[in-house]
Amino acid sequence: MKAKDMNRVLYIDLTKKDNKIENRDDLFDEYFGGSGVAIKLLEEECPRGIDPLSEANPIIFAVGPLTALFPSASKTVAMFKSPLTGNLGESHTGGRSAMAIKLAGYGAIVIKGSSDFPIYLAIHGDEVKFKDASSIWGIEAVAVGRILREVELGAGVRTIIRIGRAGEKMVRYACAVCETYRHFGRLGLGAVMGSKKLKAVVISADKSIEIPKDKRREYKRVYDEIQEVVVETDAMEKYHDLGTAGKIYDMNKLGGMAYKNLESASAPEEIAREFSGENIAEKYLSKRVSCAHCPVGCIHLASLRELYEPGYYFKTTTIPYDNETIYALGFMLGMKSAEDYLRLIDVVDRIGMDAISTGVTLAWVTEAYERGIITKEHTDGLEFHWGDVQVYVKAVNKIVEMPNEFYQNLAKGVEHASSVYGGQDYALAFGGNEMPEYHTGIACYLNNLTGARHSHLDSAGYDLDQKLIGKEFTLEEVVKGLLKEEEWRQILSSLVVCFFARKVYSAERVIRALDAIGIENWTEGKLEDLGRVIHRAKMDFKFREGFDLAKLRIPKRIFEVSTPHGFLKEEDMRKAIEIYGEMIGRDIQN
Amino acid sequence: MLSQCPRNIFIKIDANMSLSNYYWATDMTKKIAALDVNKCIGCMECMFACSRRVGRGGFDKSAIRVRSAGGIERGFVIVVCRACENPPCARVCPTGALRERKGGGVILSEDKCIGCGFCAQACIMGAIFWDGERNKPIVCKYCGECADYCVHNAIGMVEVKGEA
């Protein structure tokens, strides 16, 4: 197919078990794909004020013009209304998802409605089948992959996106698992799939994109240049060798790592050594793999051999690990050994919950339990203490099974649970989303508060904080820096390029890559403008759904623990939010 | 070395086989080989590179495939023509479209091919892929383009060494 012919949107209606394909050049020509097209489709498909767990909530998967054509353009954007925050839900994943969607012939897939019985979708190129998933309902995410791998077509050229039991039970931060070790982790896509009784989506590739004859030479030239830069920048070394876990030790040393629900921003030396990328790699690393069409191979898989029953019953489990899960399920929970942390990831992954939200929620429970506002009455008998992996494993299962009101509340996230039981000062959620790792300074928290997804990847505030150490700066400069970064990232996530390759895809290279595949006449200025337009469209959706800069809750805890920039002040944070409002044309009315 | 290799079959190169045990054949001819399948990260760059030669983004024209060996934790399988001596695919071709390449492997003359698919069936490695658009086999040309993009050196070009 010609690239243009892949500007198709597959619309699936789970209620009517029907589908249609529409060419949407109008959207793809203007917004590329990915986040840009997804937010426009969300505007079209998501009615104002709906319950995110109702059938009216659409799930949108979108890929971009560089997908399957350039290295590290390997991500899929999912957009939906988040059941965790009640607002914009956007989550990205890699695996083989992007390649499979694109080479099945689609720029985006919109899933609407809900089925009255468990169902999974088998999309093989133009063929869309609705299949009964009753017999795999209730099965953990890993096993579902194993089963569908056998019964569906397309071995090696497909993606299998599925949910675990957490998604079925609509835990608000349930994730969707992709290729076993990748996730649409944040903001509860798994719960939305569960609400639709959609257990899995299998998509397999059967097409390719034809490069126009007069562009082939140029395409290969630009491809080779980008490939060389991907391989030779620090991305390869940084992300392939030790993976994202490689920066754990240094972040802790810097004092920017939330430990035990941010009781401090640095764990003791022996803990930092235990959880360092070096230690985990030496003891447990078994394999490094990559997403389709990315030479980096940042995915690190650990192998854990355990005696699980007397009589020499051993099992060897393969477990993905990375920086953020080491933070959330290791540091935040005061874990003492990497082995315990790996065990907990395995449980969280199989059950299908977002690791960051789970870790932060359990960290809050532990502190609240120690302070006595949560008791054994609430916890169904569990006694929470830092680092007690057995209890955390049981708690994860209880969050999914919801045996009482307490766990029902935990299943709605820490923002909600703390609004019921108290302890909001140390409930570490921003915009309703549990916080990522960093306690590096004002920029990381402004990122958490104002970023469209409340994700550290929105504007990489943690990165800006580190660059600003030892420098003088104004709040205006920080806010401007964050906003500029977030706007540019809209371009990357519309193309859709992995953020780990962000240094490779400079504006100049993006323009040449687009040009080489026949998308011409882009300039740096036009890209910047489009980034801004997409960002504002996302913010417009947020404001439409009730987002309010003046009402952003800031947990007091973050002001009580020193950052590498010293103690943060709430007045500075509020002032910066006000500046942010002005910059995006949303003045805060006092 | 030649004696170690079962003749007349393609060998699936996977984690259980060490390539060095399977060198055979004649002169300076080259072929693609899995140098160390444990280094394969499953990025599929080889597959994309192969189709890119004919101006395609994707792999429906690719003569090399990588897939997991039944789950990513088990590693990957690289399926590519091993350039057999006396290749079974050529022997079953009814029109002489596939002919033996000197030193091992085959050369396809598309104009003679009637698209019967016998060659693909004869290759127990599954290393002959099918071009559904044109109803022709996709046969490795041993050009090495795929290996050029394997940055982790899982595959590479090797000389098909002759027996002393």
Side-chain angles (χ1 to χ4, degrees), chain B residues 55-100:
Chain B
R56 298 285 184 116
F59 31 73
D60 63 350
K61 306 289 178 193
S62 300
I64 182 168
R65 294 286 168 119
V66 175
R67 58 177 166 75
S68 78
I72 291 162
E73 63 277 11
R74 292 185 182 144
F76 296 97
V77 174
I78 300 167
V79 184
V80 64
C81 177
R82 294 206 68 239
C84 323
E85 244 189 309
N86 193 11
C89 55
R91 277 186 281 130
V92 298
C93 179
T95 64
L98 269 182
R99 65 178 197 279
E100 235 179 292

mmCIF file of all heavy atoms in Angstrom, chain B residues 55-100:
data_model
loop_
_atom_site.group_PDB
_atom_site.id
_atom_site.type_symbol
_atom_site.label_atom_id
_atom_site.label_comp_id
_atom_site.label_asym_id
_atom_site.label_seq_id
_atom_site.Cartn_x
_atom_site.Cartn_y
_atom_site.Cartn_z
ATOM 1 N N GLY B 55 12.235 -1.107 -1.800
ATOM 2 C CA GLY B 55 11.437 0.097 -1.597
ATOM 3 C C GLY B 55 10.198 -0.103 -0.770
ATOM 4 O O GLY B 55 9.201 0.605 -0.944
ATOM 5 N N ARG B 56 10.243 -1.062 0.126
ATOM 6 C CA ARG B 56 9.077 -1.289 0.976
ATOM 7 C C ARG B 56 9.420 -1.077 2.450
ATOM 8 O O ARG B 56 10.480 -1.498 2.902
ATOM 9 C CB ARG B 56 8.575 -2.740 0.825
ATOM 10 C CG ARG B 56 8.118 -3.104 -0.564
ATOM 11 C CD ARG B 56 6.762 -2.495 -0.850
ATOM 12 N NE ARG B 56 6.276 -2.922 -2.152
ATOM 13 C CZ ARG B 56 5.177 -3.666 -2.318
ATOM 14 N NH1 ARG B 56 4.450 -4.038 -1.293
ATOM 15 N NH2 ARG B 56 4.788 -4.006 -3.528
ATOM 16 N N GLY B 57 8.501 -0.463 3.157
ATOM 17 C CA GLY B 57 8.600 -0.396 4.609
ATOM 18 C C GLY B 57 7.734 -1.513 5.148
ATOM 19 O O GLY B 57 6.528 -1.497 4.969
ATOM 20 N N GLY B 58 8.354 -2.471 5.805
ATOM 21 C CA GLY B 58 7.600 -3.644 6.259
ATOM 22 C C GLY B 58 8.441 -4.860 6.026
ATOM 23 O O GLY B 58 9.663 -4.777 5.942
ATOM 24 N N PHE B 59 7.807 -6.008 5.928
ATOM 25 C CA PHE B 59 8.606 -7.204 5.686
ATOM 26 C C PHE B 59 7.880 -8.231 4.835
ATOM 27 O O PHE B 59 8.203 -9.397 4.866
ATOM 28 C CB PHE B 59 9.075 -7.836 7.004
ATOM 29 C CG PHE B 59 8.119 -7.616 8.136
ATOM 30 C CD1 PHE B 59 6.928 -8.309 8.181
ATOM 31 C CD2 PHE B 59 8.409 -6.695 9.128
ATOM 32 C CE1 PHE B 59 6.038 -8.089 9.209
ATOM 33 C CE2 PHE B 59 7.522 -6.479 10.158
ATOM 34 C CZ PHE B 59 6.337 -7.171 10.211
ATOM 35 N N ASP B 60 6.892 -7.785 4.075
ATOM 36 C CA ASP B 60 6.197 -8.780 3.256
ATOM 37 C C ASP B 60 7.013 -9.194 2.029
ATOM 38 O O ASP B 60 6.619 -10.097 1.307
ATOM 39 C CB ASP B 60 4.776 -8.335 2.886
ATOM 40 C CG ASP B 60 4.763 -7.088 2.037
ATOM 41 O OD1 ASP B 60 5.826 -6.464 1.891
ATOM 42 O OD2 ASP B 60 3.686 -6.732 1.517
ATOM 43 N N LYS B 61 8.178 -8.553 1.830
ATOM 44 C CA LYS B 61 9.075 -8.992 0.748
ATOM 45 C C LYS B 61 10.367 -9.557 1.330
ATOM 46 O O LYS B 61 11.375 -9.671 0.635
ATOM 47 C CB LYS B 61 9.420 -7.814 -0.171
ATOM 48 C CG LYS B 61 8.227 -7.078 -0.740
ATOM 49 C CD LYS B 61 7.501 -7.896 -1.779
ATOM 50 C CE LYS B 61 6.277 -7.125 -2.287
ATOM 51 N NZ LYS B 61 5.372 -7.976 -3.047
ATOM 52 N N SER B 62 10.354 -9.857 2.624
ATOM 53 C CA SER B 62 11.599 -10.222 3.291
ATOM 54 C C SER B 62 11.879 -11.711 3.223
ATOM 55 O O SER B 62 10.974 -12.531 3.382
ATOM 56 C CB SER B 62 11.560 -9.787 4.757
ATOM 57 O OG SER B 62 11.390 -8.400 4.823
ATOM 58 N N ALA B 63 13.157 -12.020 3.039
ATOM 59 C CA ALA B 63 13.598 -13.412 2.956
ATOM 60 C C ALA B 63 14.227 -13.870 4.270
ATOM 61 O O ALA B 63 14.909 -14.880 4.320
ATOM 62 C CB ALA B 63 14.582 -13.571 1.814
ATOM 63 N N ILE B 64 14.023 -13.078 5.302
ATOM 64 C CA ILE B 64 14.510 -13.476 6.628
ATOM 65 C C ILE B 64 13.415 -13.157 7.639
ATOM 66 O O ILE B 64 12.722 -12.144 7.502
ATOM 67 C CB ILE B 64 15.843 -12.766 6.971
ATOM 68 C CG1 ILE B 64 16.377 -13.222 8.328
ATOM 69 C CG2 ILE B 64 15.709 -11.244 6.921
ATOM 70 C CD1 ILE B 64 17.815 -12.798 8.610
ATOM 71 N N ARG B 65 13.225 -14.021 8.591
ATOM 72 C CA ARG B 65 12.209 -13.785 9.620
ATOM 73 C C ARG B 65 12.784 -14.074 10.996
ATOM 74 O O ARG B 65 13.580 -15.004 11.160
ATOM 75 C CB ARG B 65 10.985 -14.693 9.407
ATOM 76 C CG ARG B 65 10.197 -14.389 8.134
ATOM 77 C CD ARG B 65 9.389 -13.116 8.293
ATOM 78 N NE ARG B 65 8.867 -12.681 7.010
ATOM 79 C CZ ARG B 65 7.557 -12.558 6.740
ATOM 80 N NH1 ARG B 65 6.664 -12.865 7.646
ATOM 81 N NH2 ARG B 65 7.173 -12.130 5.561
ATOM 82 N N VAL B 66 12.350 -13.279 11.946
ATOM 83 C CA VAL B 66 12.727 -13.513 13.342
ATOM 84 C C VAL B 66 11.445 -13.594 14.140
ATOM 85 O O VAL B 66 10.554 -12.765 13.977
ATOM 86 C CB VAL B 66 13.589 -12.346 13.886
ATOM 87 C CG1 VAL B 66 13.868 -12.541 15.364
ATOM 88 C CG2 VAL B 66 14.884 -12.248 13.111
ATOM 89 N N ARG B 67 11.320 -14.616 14.918
ATOM 90 C CA ARG B 67 10.162 -14.691 15.816
ATOM 91 C C ARG B 67 10.611 -15.311 17.128
ATOM 92 O O ARG B 67 11.699 -15.893 17.217
ATOM 93 C CB ARG B 67 9.032 -15.493 15.180
ATOM 94 C CG ARG B 67 9.421 -16.895 14.800
ATOM 95 C CD ARG B 67 8.239 -17.675 14.240
ATOM 96 N NE ARG B 67 8.700 -18.876 13.579
ATOM 97 C CZ ARG B 67 9.124 -19.977 14.208
ATOM 98 N NH1 ARG B 67 9.136 -20.005 15.530
ATOM 99 N NH2 ARG B 67 9.541 -21.026 13.535
ATOM 100 N N SER B 68 9.780 -15.151 18.140
ATOM 101 C CA SER B 68 10.164 -15.726 19.427
ATOM 102 C C SER B 68 10.024 -17.232 19.348
ATOM 103 O O SER B 68 9.219 -17.760 18.581
ATOM 104 C CB SER B 68 9.292 -15.165 20.547
ATOM 105 O OG SER B 68 8.036 -15.798 20.554
ATOM 106 N N ALA B 69 10.813 -17.892 20.169
ATOM 107 C CA ALA B 69 10.764 -19.356 20.190
ATOM 108 C C ALA B 69 9.646 -19.793 21.139
ATOM 109 O O ALA B 69 9.868 -20.545 22.070
ATOM 110 C CB ALA B 69 12.115 -19.906 20.630
ATOM 111 N N GLY B 70 8.441 -19.250 20.926
ATOM 112 C CA GLY B 70 7.324 -19.588 21.798
ATOM 113 C C GLY B 70 7.355 -18.768 23.081
ATOM 114 O O GLY B 70 7.399 -19.321 24.181
ATOM 115 N N GLY B 71 7.338 -17.452 22.937
ATOM 116 C CA GLY B 71 7.450 -16.580 24.111
ATOM 117 C C GLY B 71 8.837 -15.970 24.143
ATOM 118 O O GLY B 71 9.830 -16.665 23.947
ATOM 119 N N ILE B 72 8.876 -14.652 24.368
ATOM 120 C CA ILE B 72 10.144 -13.915 24.279
ATOM 121 C C ILE B 72 11.186 -14.448 25.268
ATOM 122 O O ILE B 72 12.377 -14.464 24.994
ATOM 123 C CB ILE B 72 9.879 -12.406 24.496
ATOM 124 C CG1 ILE B 72 9.101 -11.865 23.293
ATOM 125 C CG2 ILE B 72 11.167 -11.624 24.687
ATOM 126 C CD1 ILE B 72 8.413 -10.548 23.522
ATOM 127 N N GLU B 73 10.702 -14.942 26.437
ATOM 128 C CA GLU B 73 11.651 -15.438 27.447
ATOM 129 C C GLU B 73 12.464 -16.622 26.931
ATOM 130 O O GLU B 73 13.521 -16.951 27.458
ATOM 131 C CB GLU B 73 10.926 -15.794 28.749
ATOM 132 C CG GLU B 73 9.906 -16.908 28.669
ATOM 133 C CD GLU B 73 8.539 -16.432 28.173
ATOM 134 O OE1 GLU B 73 8.440 -15.285 27.703
ATOM 135 O OE2 GLU B 73 7.587 -17.229 28.247
ATOM 136 N N ARG B 74 11.966 -17.288 25.909
ATOM 137 C CA ARG B 74 12.708 -18.435 25.364
ATOM 138 C C ARG B 74 13.700 -18.008 24.284
ATOM 139 O O ARG B 74 14.362 -18.850 23.683
ATOM 140 C CB ARG B 74 11.734 -19.442 24.786
ATOM 141 C CG ARG B 74 10.902 -20.103 25.870
ATOM 142 C CD ARG B 74 10.020 -21.179 25.304
ATOM 143 N NE ARG B 74 9.222 -21.738 26.373
ATOM 144 C CZ ARG B 74 7.967 -22.146 26.241
ATOM 145 N NH1 ARG B 74 7.362 -22.049 25.071
ATOM 146 N NH2 ARG B 74 7.303 -22.641 27.248
ATOM 147 N N GLY B 75 13.732 -16.751 23.990
ATOM 148 C CA GLY B 75 14.668 -16.277 22.982
ATOM 149 C C GLY B 75 14.036 -16.271 21.596
ATOM 150 O O GLY B 75 12.827 -16.454 21.449
ATOM 151 N N PHE B 76 14.877 -16.062 20.605
ATOM 152 C CA PHE B 76 14.373 -15.884 19.245
ATOM 153 C C PHE B 76 14.868 -16.967 18.302
ATOM 154 O O PHE B 76 15.883 -17.599 18.545
ATOM 155 C CB PHE B 76 14.781 -14.505 18.725
ATOM 156 C CG PHE B 76 14.163 -13.398 19.508
ATOM 157 C CD1 PHE B 76 14.862 -12.777 20.533
ATOM 158 C CD2 PHE B 76 12.852 -13.003 19.259
ATOM 159 C CE1 PHE B 76 14.273 -11.770 21.282
ATOM 160 C CE2 PHE B 76 12.262 -11.993 20.008
ATOM 161 C CZ PHE B 76 12.974 -11.378 21.024
ATOM 162 N N VAL B 77 14.109 -17.138 17.254
ATOM 163 C CA VAL B 77 14.495 -18.048 16.181
ATOM 164 C C VAL B 77 14.711 -17.198 14.936
ATOM 165 O O VAL B 77 13.881 -16.335 14.631
ATOM 166 C CB VAL B 77 13.371 -19.067 15.904
ATOM 167 C CG1 VAL B 77 13.704 -19.927 14.691
ATOM 168 C CG2 VAL B 77 13.139 -19.950 17.124
ATOM 169 N N ILE B 78 15.824 -17.394 14.263
ATOM 170 C CA ILE B 78 16.098 -16.660 13.031
ATOM 171 C C ILE B 78 15.930 -17.643 11.882
ATOM 172 O O ILE B 78 16.614 -18.675 11.841
ATOM 173 C CB ILE B 78 17.537 -16.102 13.031
ATOM 174 C CG1 ILE B 78 17.719 -15.151 14.219
ATOM 175 C CG2 ILE B 78 17.830 -15.390 11.710
ATOM 176 C CD1 ILE B 78 19.172 -14.792 14.492
ATOM 177 N N VAL B 79 15.010 -17.349 11.007
ATOM 178 C CA VAL B 79 14.784 -18.255 9.880
ATOM 179 C C VAL B 79 15.278 -17.578 8.606
ATOM 180 O O VAL B 79 14.775 -16.514 8.221
ATOM 181 C CB VAL B 79 13.286 -18.606 9.734
ATOM 182 C CG1 VAL B 79 13.102 -19.628 8.620
ATOM 183 C CG2 VAL B 79 12.722 -19.147 11.036
ATOM 184 N N VAL B 80 16.284 -18.179 7.991
ATOM 185 C CA VAL B 80 16.836 -17.624 6.755
ATOM 186 C C VAL B 80 17.457 -18.782 5.966
ATOM 187 O O VAL B 80 17.831 -19.801 6.544
ATOM 188 C CB VAL B 80 17.884 -16.517 7.062
ATOM 189 C CG1 VAL B 80 19.097 -17.074 7.788
ATOM 190 C CG2 VAL B 80 18.287 -15.778 5.803
ATOM 191 N N CYS B 81 17.514 -18.621 4.672
ATOM 192 C CA CYS B 81 18.084 -19.674 3.822
ATOM 193 C C CYS B 81 19.519 -19.989 4.242
ATOM 194 O O CYS B 81 20.328 -19.088 4.418
ATOM 195 C CB CYS B 81 18.071 -19.225 2.365
ATOM 196 S SG CYS B 81 18.844 -20.429 1.271
ATOM 197 N N ARG B 82 19.810 -21.277 4.401
ATOM 198 C CA ARG B 82 21.152 -21.666 4.830
ATOM 199 C C ARG B 82 22.049 -21.997 3.637
ATOM 200 O O ARG B 82 23.155 -22.460 3.800
ATOM 201 C CB ARG B 82 21.088 -22.850 5.772
ATOM 202 C CG ARG B 82 20.419 -22.501 7.076
ATOM 203 C CD ARG B 82 20.890 -23.398 8.196
ATOM 204 N NE ARG B 82 22.274 -23.142 8.526
ATOM 205 C CZ ARG B 82 23.237 -24.042 8.472
ATOM 206 N NH1 ARG B 82 22.973 -25.255 8.064
ATOM 207 N NH2 ARG B 82 24.452 -23.729 8.820
ATOM 208 N N ALA B 83 21.530 -21.773 2.455
ATOM 209 C CA ALA B 83 22.329 -22.006 1.246
ATOM 210 C C ALA B 83 22.836 -23.441 1.180
ATOM 211 O O ALA B 83 24.043 -23.696 1.100
ATOM 212 C CB ALA B 83 23.482 -21.004 1.160
ATOM 213 N N CYS B 84 21.908 -24.380 1.232
ATOM 214 C CA CYS B 84 22.298 -25.795 1.227
ATOM 215 C C CYS B 84 22.995 -26.180 -0.086
ATOM 216 O O CYS B 84 22.721 -25.608 -1.130
ATOM 217 C CB CYS B 84 21.100 -26.734 1.298
ATOM 218 S SG CYS B 84 19.747 -26.254 2.290
ATOM 219 N N GLU B 85 23.776 -27.178 0.049
ATOM 220 C CA GLU B 85 24.281 -27.832 -1.148
ATOM 221 C C GLU B 85 23.176 -28.773 -1.626
ATOM 222 O O GLU B 85 22.475 -29.358 -0.807
ATOM 223 C CB GLU B 85 25.507 -28.655 -0.773
ATOM 224 C CG GLU B 85 26.770 -28.184 -1.437
ATOM 225 C CD GLU B 85 27.894 -29.171 -1.187
ATOM 226 O OE1 GLU B 85 28.100 -29.514 -0.020
ATOM 227 O OE2 GLU B 85 28.534 -29.565 -2.157
ATOM 228 N N ASN B 86 23.066 -28.945 -2.920
ATOM 229 C CA ASN B 86 22.030 -29.817 -3.470
ATOM 230 C C ASN B 86 20.657 -29.486 -2.871
ATOM 231 O O ASN B 86 20.003 -30.327 -2.259
ATOM 232 C CB ASN B 86 22.395 -31.279 -3.186
ATOM 233 C CG ASN B 86 21.534 -32.225 -4.004
ATOM 234 O OD1 ASN B 86 20.819 -31.800 -4.907
ATOM 235 N ND2 ASN B 86 21.587 -33.500 -3.679
ATOM 236 N N PRO B 87 20.212 -28.238 -2.973
ATOM 237 C CA PRO B 87 19.038 -27.784 -2.235
ATOM 238 C C PRO B 87 17.733 -28.455 -2.670
ATOM 239 O O PRO B 87 17.451 -28.538 -3.871
ATOM 240 C CB PRO B 87 18.995 -26.284 -2.533
ATOM 241 C CG PRO B 87 19.831 -26.097 -3.726
ATOM 242 C CD PRO B 87 20.833 -27.190 -3.777
ATOM 243 N N PRO B 88 16.956 -28.940 -1.713
ATOM 244 C CA PRO B 88 15.698 -29.621 -2.025
ATOM 245 C C PRO B 88 14.715 -28.710 -2.765
ATOM 246 O O PRO B 88 13.949 -29.180 -3.604
ATOM 247 C CB PRO B 88 15.121 -30.001 -0.663
ATOM 248 C CG PRO B 88 16.169 -29.746 0.332
ATOM 249 C CD PRO B 88 17.225 -28.904 -0.272
ATOM 250 N N CYS B 89 14.751 -27.417 -2.474
ATOM 251 C CA CYS B 89 13.810 -26.507 -3.130
ATOM 252 C C CYS B 89 14.030 -26.506 -4.639
ATOM 253 O O CYS B 89 13.075 -26.508 -5.423
ATOM 254 C CB CYS B 89 13.928 -25.102 -2.556
ATOM 255 S SG CYS B 89 15.593 -24.431 -2.612
ATOM 256 N N ALA B 90 15.298 -26.515 -5.031
ATOM 257 C CA ALA B 90 15.605 -26.501 -6.465
ATOM 258 C C ALA B 90 15.228 -27.837 -7.111
ATOM 259 O O ALA B 90 14.754 -27.878 -8.250
ATOM 260 C CB ALA B 90 17.084 -26.196 -6.686
ATOM 261 N N ARG B 91 15.430 -28.906 -6.333
ATOM 262 C CA ARG B 91 15.150 -30.224 -6.904
ATOM 263 C C ARG B 91 13.672 -30.446 -7.209
ATOM 264 O O ARG B 91 13.323 -31.205 -8.084
ATOM 265 C CB ARG B 91 15.684 -31.327 -5.985
ATOM 266 C CG ARG B 91 17.178 -31.585 -6.229
ATOM 267 C CD ARG B 91 17.661 -32.760 -5.418
ATOM 268 N NE ARG B 91 17.895 -32.392 -4.031
ATOM 269 C CZ ARG B 91 17.430 -33.062 -2.990
ATOM 270 N NH1 ARG B 91 16.695 -34.139 -3.177
ATOM 271 N NH2 ARG B 91 17.698 -32.664 -1.775
ATOM 272 N N VAL B 92 12.803 -29.770 -6.435
ATOM 273 C CA VAL B 92 11.364 -29.989 -6.677
ATOM 274 C C VAL B 92 10.774 -28.963 -7.653
ATOM 275 O O VAL B 92 9.592 -29.023 -7.975
ATOM 276 C CB VAL B 92 10.542 -29.974 -5.375
ATOM 277 C CG1 VAL B 92 10.977 -31.106 -4.455
ATOM 278 C CG2 VAL B 92 10.644 -28.623 -4.671
ATOM 279 N N CYS B 93 11.572 -28.007 -8.089
ATOM 280 C CA CYS B 93 11.032 -26.975 -8.985
ATOM 281 C C CYS B 93 10.755 -27.598 -10.364
ATOM 282 O O CYS B 93 11.672 -28.087 -11.018
ATOM 283 C CB CYS B 93 12.025 -25.813 -9.119
ATOM 284 S SG CYS B 93 11.426 -24.539 -10.243
ATOM 285 N N PRO B 94 9.480 -27.567 -10.811
ATOM 286 C CA PRO B 94 9.133 -28.257 -12.050
ATOM 287 C C PRO B 94 9.566 -27.509 -13.309
ATOM 288 O O PRO B 94 9.576 -28.083 -14.398
ATOM 289 C CB PRO B 94 7.614 -28.345 -11.982
ATOM 290 C CG PRO B 94 7.182 -27.201 -11.134
ATOM 291 C CD PRO B 94 8.293 -26.975 -10.152
ATOM 292 N N THR B 95 9.915 -26.225 -13.174
ATOM 293 C CA THR B 95 10.206 -25.451 -14.384
ATOM 294 C C THR B 95 11.670 -25.023 -14.491
ATOM 295 O O THR B 95 12.042 -24.322 -15.421
ATOM 296 C CB THR B 95 9.346 -24.168 -14.424
ATOM 297 O OG1 THR B 95 9.722 -23.356 -13.312
ATOM 298 C CG2 THR B 95 7.868 -24.498 -14.361
ATOM 299 N N GLY B 96 12.452 -25.384 -13.496
ATOM 300 C CA GLY B 96 13.857 -24.959 -13.508
ATOM 301 C C GLY B 96 14.029 -23.493 -13.145
ATOM 302 O O GLY B 96 15.071 -22.898 -13.400
ATOM 303 N N ALA B 97 13.015 -22.912 -12.525
ATOM 304 C CA ALA B 97 13.114 -21.503 -12.116
ATOM 305 C C ALA B 97 14.115 -21.334 -10.983
ATOM 306 O O ALA B 97 14.805 -20.331 -10.892
ATOM 307 C CB ALA B 97 11.751 -20.982 -11.692
ATOM 308 N N LEU B 98 14.165 -22.323 -10.115
ATOM 309 C CA LEU B 98 15.154 -22.287 -9.030
ATOM 310 C C LEU B 98 16.319 -23.160 -9.439
ATOM 311 O O LEU B 98 16.151 -24.360 -9.683
ATOM 312 C CB LEU B 98 14.551 -22.856 -7.747
ATOM 313 C CG LEU B 98 13.869 -21.910 -6.767
ATOM 314 C CD1 LEU B 98 13.393 -22.706 -5.555
ATOM 315 C CD2 LEU B 98 14.779 -20.774 -6.319
ATOM 316 N N ARG B 99 17.472 -22.563 -9.549
ATOM 317 C CA ARG B 99 18.616 -23.399 -9.879
ATOM 318 C C ARG B 99 19.699 -23.250 -8.813
ATOM 319 O O ARG B 99 19.763 -22.230 -8.120
ATOM 320 C CB ARG B 99 19.131 -23.105 -11.270
ATOM 321 C CG ARG B 99 19.692 -21.724 -11.466
ATOM 322 C CD ARG B 99 20.229 -21.554 -12.888
ATOM 323 N NE ARG B 99 21.098 -20.416 -12.944
ATOM 324 C CZ ARG B 99 20.684 -19.151 -13.043
ATOM 325 N NH1 ARG B 99 19.394 -18.883 -13.106
ATOM 326 N NH2 ARG B 99 21.561 -18.159 -13.085
ATOM 327 N N GLU B 100 20.486 -24.278 -8.710
ATOM 328 C CA GLU B 100 21.518 -24.318 -7.690
ATOM 329 C C GLU B 100 22.562 -23.240 -7.906
ATOM 330 O O GLU B 100 22.976 -23.010 -9.037
ATOM 331 C CB GLU B 100 22.208 -25.680 -7.770
ATOM 332 C CG GLU B 100 22.198 -26.428 -6.464
ATOM 333 C CD GLU B 100 22.865 -27.772 -6.612
ATOM 334 O OE1 GLU B 100 22.311 -28.651 -7.307
ATOM 335 O OE2 GLU B 100 23.938 -27.919 -6.050
#
